[in-house]
């Protein structure tokens, strides 16, 4: 597991995902589910697309404008959930939500996403750190009909 | 000359407050100003000592509340140079502008008429007009801005035609701090019988505003940006236009009589707009705030802010990591970015250093088209800010590249 105590490593992970976001850019494919997320506390405006087949998240794409925290967290999320089952994705979202709320969480499931553990120091960025996770949650919930 | 030390002692929020373990530097005055004790105490005095409703009691307390409330109208009227009955109390600039749109425009404009706005306007001076345009099938036209972010007068003139009915425009922009030449605009507009609506939210707190001199038809501002309470604002309207404006707030206090055959007779302006129990404490607080500003002197406030602004700009220009978008105007608003730092990341970074600024698009969501940036950081000064605070701010700007520090302290 990633060390929660080395700020330099955490910073470089965040900057890397901000400067080279993974799975960025949307696809024109009707099989994808899509949601637009924007937050009241930031000018983040991000579209998220997921492709689910046989209960597995086959792809996660996102695009838009966002601050470092929203871009990096959504990029990290995309890598975390591609290949996961819907249930696993729900679990990851829940653990992440616990972490942001400063409650006990399972860091093994979150992998690189633990770099956002201290985001609550800047209250206005909490929504930014949640934007991708909330978007995914909305998309998964929409599957239940 | 302002006695800044004395002034700062009058603001509880300037008394050794800290944020994120740093002394607080409050540079978000365009969002809302701090309040001096006299304003807070005047509101408390009402609640502690003469709490009662206005316009209806037969007892002494109510008479006192009524008198204090109504005397505010006179204080506001003197402050902006109009008659008492041209001062309508609202909840703020937003409600004032909505009242003009839904009370005046909706009843006096018709299909295919045109309204001129511009891209620097705050949401509250755009969205009500969009709604009216949808309802009446009107056309909204955007006047071009010049390089300073002011509405370009000759381009504006070219947009005017016989269908143009309203020009609605900010006196001072909340993002760029640019000042529009309202006097010239009203002169041009009135040659074509166009009504000029002025959003003065960022002007009235910072300089002498004289509605007669401007000759504007409506003018809106908020109490909370001029050292007054939240929840109170003003709509000034020329009396004959207020008579043509319908009330959006029907109820007690604003009618003269009504019967069961659906007849109703409303009071005259400004009372017909003020249905229901008003924000009495806030109106009383507003009076104190205006008295407070008058005692300091609006001209001195304006020139001190100008001095602060130029001091800040000169210091910031010495840094090579700062991009400034509005160095060439005199208002206390500085629109900038730290190079290669997303504006909202910069906002968190300033917070982590105890500095309150605003980042994003500041409710002017069309302006990025003009500036060609996604968002900006805005530091906005008021008369109680100091050069020492600017020095600290500039020092923090220098290290802006380390913005992730905000999360790893
Ligand atoms: C130019 C301008 N117009 C309108 C408003 C809206 O004022 P309020 O929120 O007090 O109604 C503001 C304040 O943010 C402003 O700066």
């Amino acid at each position: 597991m990633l060390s929660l105590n080395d700020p330099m490593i955490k910073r470089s992970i965040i900057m890397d995902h901000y400067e080279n976001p993974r799975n960025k850019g949307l696809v024109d494919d009707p099989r994808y589910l899509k949601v637009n997320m924007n937050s009241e506390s930031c000018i983040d405006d991000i579209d998220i697309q997921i492709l689910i087949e046989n209960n597995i998240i086959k792809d996660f794409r996102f695009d838009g404008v966002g601050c470092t925290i929203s871009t990096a967290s959504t990029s990290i999320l995309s890598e975390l959930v591609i290949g996961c089952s819907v249930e696993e994705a729900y679990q990851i979202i829940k653990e992440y939500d616990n972490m942001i709320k400063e409650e006990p969480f399972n860091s093994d499931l979150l992998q690189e996403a633990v770099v956002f553990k201290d985001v609550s120091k800047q209250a206005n960025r909490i929504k930014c750190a949640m934007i991708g996770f909330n978007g995914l949650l909305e998309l998964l919930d929409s599957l239940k009909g | 000359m302002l006695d800044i030390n004395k002034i700062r002692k009058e603001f509880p929020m300037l008394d050794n407050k800290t944020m994120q373990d740093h002394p607080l530097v409050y540079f978000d005055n365009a969002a809302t100003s701090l309040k001096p004790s006299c304003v807070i105490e005047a509101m408390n005095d009402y609640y502690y000592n003469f709490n009662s409703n206005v316009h209806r009691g037969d007892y002494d307390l109510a008479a006192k509340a009524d008198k204090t409330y109504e005397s505010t109208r006179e204080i506001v009227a003197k402050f902006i140079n109009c008659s008492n009955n041209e001062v309508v109390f609202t909840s703020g600039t937003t409600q004032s502008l909505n009242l003009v749109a839904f009370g005046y425009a909706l009843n006096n404009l018709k299909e295919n008429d045109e309204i001129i706005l511009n891209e620097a306007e705050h949401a509250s001076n755009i969205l009500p007009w969009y709604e009216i345009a949808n309802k009446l099938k009107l056309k909204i036209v955007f006047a071009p801005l010049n390089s300073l972010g002011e509405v370009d007068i000759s381009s504006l003139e070219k947009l005017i035609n016989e269908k143009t009915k309203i020009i609605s425009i900010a006196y001072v922009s909340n993002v760029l701090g640019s000042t529009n030449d309202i006097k010239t605009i009203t002169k041009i507009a009135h040659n074509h019988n166009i009504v000029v609506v002025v959003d003065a939210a960022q002007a009235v707190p910072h300089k002498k505003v004289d509605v007669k001199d401007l000759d504007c038809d409506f003018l809106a501002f908020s109490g909370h940006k001029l050292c007054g309470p939240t929840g109170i604002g003003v709509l000034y309207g020329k009396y004959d236009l207020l008579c043509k404006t319908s009330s959006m707030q029907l109820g007690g206090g604003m009618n003269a009589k009504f019967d069961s055959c659906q007849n109703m007779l409303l009071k005259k302006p400004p009372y017909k707009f003020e249905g229901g129990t008003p924000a009495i404490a806030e109106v009383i607080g507003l009076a104190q705030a205006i008295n407070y500003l008058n005692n300091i002197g609006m001209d001195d406030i304006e020139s001190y802010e100008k001095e602060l602004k130029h001091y800040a700009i000169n210091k910031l220009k010495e840094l090579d990591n700062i991009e400034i978008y509005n160095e060439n105007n005199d208002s206390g608003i500085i629109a900038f970015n730290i190079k290669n730092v997303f504006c909202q990341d910069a906002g968190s970074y300033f917070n982590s250093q105890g500095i309150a600024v605003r980042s994003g698009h500041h409710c002017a969501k069309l302006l990025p088209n003009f500036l060609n940036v996604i968002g900006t950081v805005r530091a906005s000064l008021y008369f109680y800010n100091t050069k020492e605070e600017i020095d600290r701010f500039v020092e923090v700007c220098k290290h802006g590249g380390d913005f992730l520090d905000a999360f790893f302290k």
Side-chain angles (χ1 to χ4, degrees):
Chain A
M1 189 203 103
L2 194 74
S3 165
L4 285 177
N5 302 321
D6 188 343
M8 280 325 287
I9 294 182
K10 293 202 277 183
R11 294 166 75 118
S12 61
I13 291 173
I14 294 177
M15 283 316 284
D16 179 41
H17 277 275
Y18 177 55
E19 285 167 355
N20 313 293
R22 323 290 196 270
N23 300 304
K24 191 159 183 224
L26 302 180
V27 291
D28 190 9
D29 182 337
R31 294 176 304 154
Y32 281 69
L33 299 170
K34 186 173 168 190
V35 67
N36 172 262
M37 300 296 291
N38 45 62
S39 86
E40 315 91 74
S41 57
C42 196
I43 56 179
D44 298 334
D45 183 357
I46 289 182
D47 288 316
I48 297 172
Q49 282 180 317
I50 55 170
L51 176 64
I52 296 189
E53 279 173 2
N54 301 324
N55 201 44
I56 300 291
I57 300 179
K58 290 279 187 191
D59 197 10
F60 179 114
R61 316 283 317 166
F62 76 103
D63 207 357
V65 223
C67 66
T68 305
I69 299 299
S70 63
T71 305
S73 61
T74 308
S75 169
I76 288 174
L77 171 68
S78 73
E79 293 199 316
L80 264 181
V81 297
I82 292 178
C84 284
S85 68
V86 168
E87 292 71 28
E88 286 165 336
Y90 269 119
Q91 192 59 34
I92 288 171
I93 295 170
K94 186 160 184 316
E95 297 297 336
Y96 186 82
D97 191 52
N98 285 346
M99 177 182 81
I100 300 289
K101 287 186 182 139
E102 303 186 57
E103 285 165 14
F105 66 98
N106 177 346
S107 54
D108 291 340
L109 275 184
L110 293 185
Q111 301 182 29
E112 277 190 332
V114 298
V115 297
F116 298 107
K117 185 167 176 291
D118 291 329
V119 84
S120 51
K121 281 186 183 167
Q122 301 299 329
N124 251 6
R125 293 287 85 78
I126 292 175
K127 291 211 178 80
C128 307
M130 292 299 302
I131 199 165
F133 292 77
N134 285 335
L136 178 60
L137 189 63
E138 251 187 72
L139 289 172
L140 295 179
D141 283 348
S142 74
L143 285 174
K144 295 181 185 164
Chain B
M1 267 300 287
L2 308 190
D3 183 347
I4 301 299
N5 287 332
K6 176 169 170 284
I7 286 172
R8 288 180 70 86
K9 288 204 180 74
E10 290 158 347
F11 287 79
M13 283 292 296
L14 294 173
D15 183 18
N16 290 313
K17 294 276 188 291
T18 59
M19 193 163 74
Q20 302 244 329
D21 301 325
H22 291 279
L24 171 68
V25 173
Y26 187 77
F27 279 179
D28 196 18
N29 294 289
T32 196
S33 70
L34 306 179
K35 327 298 177 207
S37 313
C38 64
V39 168
I40 302 166
E41 279 157 15
M43 295 171 72
N44 278 345
D45 185 38
Y46 162 72
Y47 285 125
Y48 277 115
N49 298 315
F50 58 103
N51 187 118
S52 53
N53 213 325
V54 290
H55 303 326
R56 42 198 91 159
D58 288 325
Y59 46 94
D60 285 0
L61 285 183
K64 176 160 184 199
D66 212 27
K67 189 161 164 253
T68 318
Y69 179 88
E70 278 307 319
S71 70
T72 304
R73 219 182 286 280
E74 194 173 334
I75 289 168
V76 172
K78 282 213 180 83
F79 188 53
I80 60 172
N81 191 26
C82 64
S83 311
N84 296 359
N85 61 9
E86 293 173 321
V87 174
V88 182
F89 291 129
T90 65
S91 67
T93 306
T94 302
Q95 197 181 47
S96 298
L97 293 170
N98 273 275
L99 179 51
V100 181
F102 290 89
Y104 175 78
L106 193 57
N107 296 302
N108 293 281
L109 272 58
K110 56 180 192 317
E111 192 170 335
N112 294 327
D113 281 347
E114 296 183 8
I115 296 174
I116 301 182
L117 307 175
N118 66 82
E119 289 188 337
E121 295 302 319
H122 187 278
S124 59
N125 195 23
I126 294 208
L127 301 185
W129 303 115
Y130 280 8
E131 184 73 8
I132 298 299
N134 287 337
K135 279 188 195 296
L136 293 181
K137 300 195 174 65
L138 306 175
K139 192 165 152 206
I140 303 277
V141 184
F142 287 93
L145 304 175
N146 66 20
S147 61
L148 295 174
E150 301 156 355
V151 167
D152 184 69
I153 302 282
S154 59
S155 314
L156 175 75
E157 247 181 314
K158 290 196 193 97
L159 292 177
I160 291 175
N161 61 47
E162 71 286 354
K163 296 198 181 103
T164 312
K165 294 290 151 55
I166 289 178
I167 297 174
S168 193
I169 182 168
Y171 195 164
V172 174
S173 148
N174 66 311
V175 182
L176 295 171
S178 43
T179 302
N180 283 311
D181 183 356
I182 302 296
K183 228 172 136 164
T184 303
I185 291 170
T186 53
K187 215 173 275 161
I188 296 168
H190 291 160
N191 285 336
H192 301 271
N193 293 320
I194 298 167
V195 166
V196 178
V197 184
V198 178
D199 171 356
Q202 300 293 348
V204 176
H206 303 282
K207 57 172 163 194
K208 182 97 202 86
V209 170
D210 178 331
V211 295
K212 291 248 160 51
D213 182 53
L214 295 174
D215 198 25
C216 54
D217 299 291
F218 290 102
L219 180 134
F221 63 95
S222 301
H224 69 95
K225 294 184 200 278
L226 49 82
C227 295
T230 56
I232 181 70
V234 169
L235 174 67
Y236 155 80
K238 283 182 179 163
Y239 196 74
D240 59 321
L241 289 173
L242 288 180
C243 293
K244 290 186 196 164
T245 303
S246 63
S247 179
M248 293 158 65
Q249 207 85 325
L250 290 97
M254 55 79 70
N255 68 80
K257 58 181 174 186
F258 58 92
D259 62 25
S260 57
C261 307
Q262 297 179 22
N263 296 310
M264 60 179 180
L265 182 65
L266 303 185
K267 287 186 180 169
K268 290 196 158 53
Y271 304 103
K272 76 169 181 183
F273 303 109
E274 296 173 9
T277 298
I280 303 170
E282 286 74 11
V283 166
I284 291 169
L286 175 66
Q288 273 300 321
I290 293 175
N291 288 340
Y292 181 79
L293 294 183
N294 277 334
N295 281 337
I296 295 175
M298 292 311 293
D299 290 339
D300 282 355
I301 288 174
E302 186 181 4
S303 63
Y304 176 68
E305 284 177 22
K306 180 171 163 181
E307 182 185 327
L308 277 185
K309 161 84 176 262
H310 289 281
Y311 179 81
I313 293 291
N314 286 333
K315 289 245 157 179
L316 287 173
K317 278 172 78 172
E318 289 170 12
L319 308 185
D320 51 19
N321 67 332
I322 300 292
E323 181 128 32
I324 307 170
Y325 301 104
N326 68 339
E327 62 179 84
N328 293 318
N329 63 51
D330 293 338
S331 80
I333 289 177
I334 304 162
F336 69 102
N337 270 316
I338 301 174
K339 285 182 190 160
N340 302 317
V341 178
F342 189 71
C343 60
Q344 228 110 33
D345 293 325
S348 291
Y349 169 68
F350 283 111
N351 174 52
S352 74
Q353 299 294 320
I355 299 177
V357 294
R358 179 83 149 241
S359 62
H361 33 49
H362 320 287
C363 296
K365 298 198 183 188
L366 303 178
L367 198 56
N369 301 344
F370 169 74
L371 285 177
N372 268 321
V373 289
I374 293 165
T376 53
V377 185
R378 176 184 71 186
S380 52
L381 311 170
Y382 210 7
F383 60 87
Y384 40 67
N385 289 126
T386 63
K387 291 185 180 166
E388 291 72 32
E389 289 178 312
I390 290 173
D391 291 341
R392 257 214 56 226
F393 166 71
V394 171
E395 203 51 42
V396 169
C397 282
K398 264 186 205 163
H399 304 287
D402 304 329
F403 68 93
L404 279 180
D405 282 352
F407 301 95
F408 298 107
K409 289 203 297 183

